[in-house]
Amino acid sequence: MIHIFRTASVAPGKMAQAQAHALEISQYVKQRHGMTVSVSFPVGGNPNRVRWSFEMASLSAYEAWTAQARADADYWAMVSKGSELYIGGSI
């Protein structure tokens, strides 16, 4: 089992929009690719972060999904749409 985590720092004043965007991405991946992506937010420490996490059966399954995601123009349009919500270089 492979566990993948991606964390992004949220730009000042953008937390509500970042939460909605993170959930939108998670829902899209579920609908389009059939994969469950969890979205979480820290309770302690720096609260201005968003984390996406998911599990894959193997490294080869992760590589196959990565190839699918790279080819998904709608996914990348959605990711790009929210770029102003996160601090550049924080993912």
Side-chain angles (χ1 to χ4, degrees), residues 5 8 12 20 23 35 39 41-42 46 53 59 61 65 70 72 77-78 85:
F5 301 95
L23 293 169
M35 192 169 76
V39 178
F41 310 97
N46 177 2
S53 58
L59 188 54
W65 180 83
R70 285 186 182 145
D72 186 344
M78 185 178 298
L85 303 174

Side-chain angles (χ1 to χ4, degrees), residues 2-88:
I2 306 293
H3 300 272
I4 296 93
F5 301 95
R6 288 286 179 252
T7 303
S9 295
V10 177
K14 302 287 186 178
M15 190 56 161
Q17 297 98 320
Q19 288 175 334
H21 181 253
L23 293 169
E24 181 182 10
I25 289 174
S26 174
Q27 292 167 353
Y28 175 83
V29 170
K30 177 70 171 179
Q31 291 171 351
R32 181 76 179 253
H33 299 282
M35 192 169 76
T36 300
V37 177
S38 298
V39 178
S40 59
F41 310 97
V43 174
N46 177 2
N48 298 313
R49 292 176 291 162
V50 171
R51 174 181 279 175
W52 295 268
S53 58
F54 57 98
E55 298 177 350
M56 302 297 289
S58 66
L59 188 54
S60 62
Y62 174 66
E63 290 171 343
W65 180 83
T66 300
Q68 276 185 328
R70 285 186 182 145
D72 186 344
D74 294 333
Y75 171 77
W76 289 109
M78 185 178 298
V79 169
S80 295
K81 181 179 81 171
S83 63
E84 77 284 350
L85 303 174
Y86 308 100
I87 296 173

